[in-house]
Amino acid sequence: AQSVTQPDIHITVSEGASLELRCNYSYGATPYLFWYVQSPGQGLQLLLKYFSGDTLVQGIKGFEAEFKRSQSSFNLRKPSVHWSDAAEYFCAVGSTGTASKLTFGTGTRLQVTL
Amino acid sequence: DVKVTQSSRYLVKRTGEKVFLECVQDMDHENMFWYRQDPGLGLRLIYFSYDVKMKEKGDIPEGYSVSREKKERFSLILESASTNQTSMYLCASTEMGEKLFFGSGTQLSVL
């Protein structure tokens, strides 16, 4: 069965600092990988996704993520965080057969200090 | 703009009541999903549907059922609500392999 681990429950960074949110997945074949963001009081929004090809994917709002098969990881990064990035971030994995059926991680809550 | 609409933002019900959560999408998507979101547990899949009248159990289907009589509408039913079903319920829809479009959620409290 597929699974996702987000080891950091809560992260605090200063505005302007770089950010890396960790995600490890467990899946037998090539996974479909996603990062979603949930801002306070908002629905979930897709930041980026990886299906195949270039292992470094670019997303919206200046985010990027790198797929590392050897480490079963798909970490999310941003070079300079803005206060508006404060939100909860979810990593998710889907199978190649049913890419729409996603398994989500438990989330990482990002706090940004000014 | 695409839309997934959940009928209620907040809902308070009593233990033992039958509860209906409604979700409508206007994108002609084949696939629809019901998740529940709990602090520290993330999103967990309850049921999904890949076509009208078709449904499959997700990871935590116990205590829930679903109905999909029309393509645009996917209903989640709590046959006899219990306090451990107090949660945020999220509906989503998608075409195969594409991103999920989420509704804004229904916060259900069972007293």
Side-chain angles (χ1 to χ4, degrees):
Chain A
Q2 59 201 42
S3 66
V4 175
T5 301
Q6 293 181 249
D8 303 306
I9 297 172
H10 189 207
I11 283 182
T12 300
V13 299
S14 300
E15 189 175 38
S18 64
L19 172 70
E20 183 169 27
L21 302 183
R22 295 184 292 166
C23 172
N24 293 95
Y25 68 90
S26 173
Y27 182 67
T30 300
Y32 288 4
L33 294 160
F34 304 78
W35 276 99
Y36 282 83
V37 60
Q38 186 178 38
S39 299
Q42 303 291 315
L44 281 91
Q45 180 183 21
L46 178 69
L47 282 176
L48 47 79
K49 63 183 180 183
Y50 171 79
F51 282 7
S52 64
D54 193 348
T55 56
L56 184 64
V57 294
Q58 303 296 321
I60 62 171
K61 304 185 180 187
F63 285 92
E64 67 178 26
E66 186 171 13
F67 170 59
K68 292 186 178 180
R69 184 188 301 275
S70 61
Q71 299 177 21
S72 297
S73 69
F74 188 58
N75 294 348
L76 182 71
R77 300 193 294 248
K78 187 170 185 179
S80 177
V81 170
H82 188 262
W83 63 266
S84 61
D85 293 325
E88 189 152 25
Y89 292 80
F90 293 94
C91 182
V93 62
S95 65
T96 51
T98 55
S100 301
K101 182 189 168 194
L102 301 185
T103 297
F104 284 82
T106 52
T108 298
R109 182 164 298 279
L110 173 66
Q111 184 176 357
V112 180
T113 57
L114 301 176
Chain B
D1 202 9
V2 296
K3 235 175 154 44
V4 177
T5 303
Q6 295 184 231
S7 53
S8 304
R9 184 71 179 93
Y10 298 97
L11 213 51
V12 180
K13 296 293 182 180
R14 296 209 176 273
T15 303
E17 276 193 78
K18 190 169 186 176
V19 181
F20 292 86
L21 302 183
E22 306 288 344
C23 175
V24 177
Q25 51 99 357
D26 64 359
M27 296 163 281
D28 203 37
H29 285 163
E30 300 286 342
N31 306 291
M32 296 188 74
F33 304 81
W34 276 105
Y35 287 88
R36 64 177 281 177
Q37 182 179 10
D38 300 287
L41 297 178
L43 279 75
R44 293 178 292 166
L45 181 64
I46 305 171
Y47 267 97
F48 67 103
S49 168
Y50 50 88
D51 201 353
V52 175
K53 296 192 186 294
M54 305 299 286
K55 60 186 179 185
E56 283 197 30
K57 293 179 180 179
D59 300 317
I60 52 163
E62 296 78 20
Y64 303 94
S65 62
V66 291
S67 171
R68 192 159 180 209
E69 297 295 320
K70 293 185 177 181
K71 191 175 186 180
E72 67 270 20
R73 186 180 297 270
F74 191 36
S75 303
L76 181 68
I77 303 157
L78 287 66
E79 296 290 342
S80 178
S82 63
T83 54
N84 63 13
Q85 293 178 309
T86 291
S87 185
M88 171 68 79
Y89 289 87
L90 296 171
C91 176
S93 74
T94 186
E95 283 301 315
M96 179 64 72
E98 295 300 319
K99 70 177 183 180
L100 289 171
F101 290 88
F102 283 90
S104 52
T106 295
Q107 179 63 52
L108 173 66
S109 296
V110 183
L111 306 178

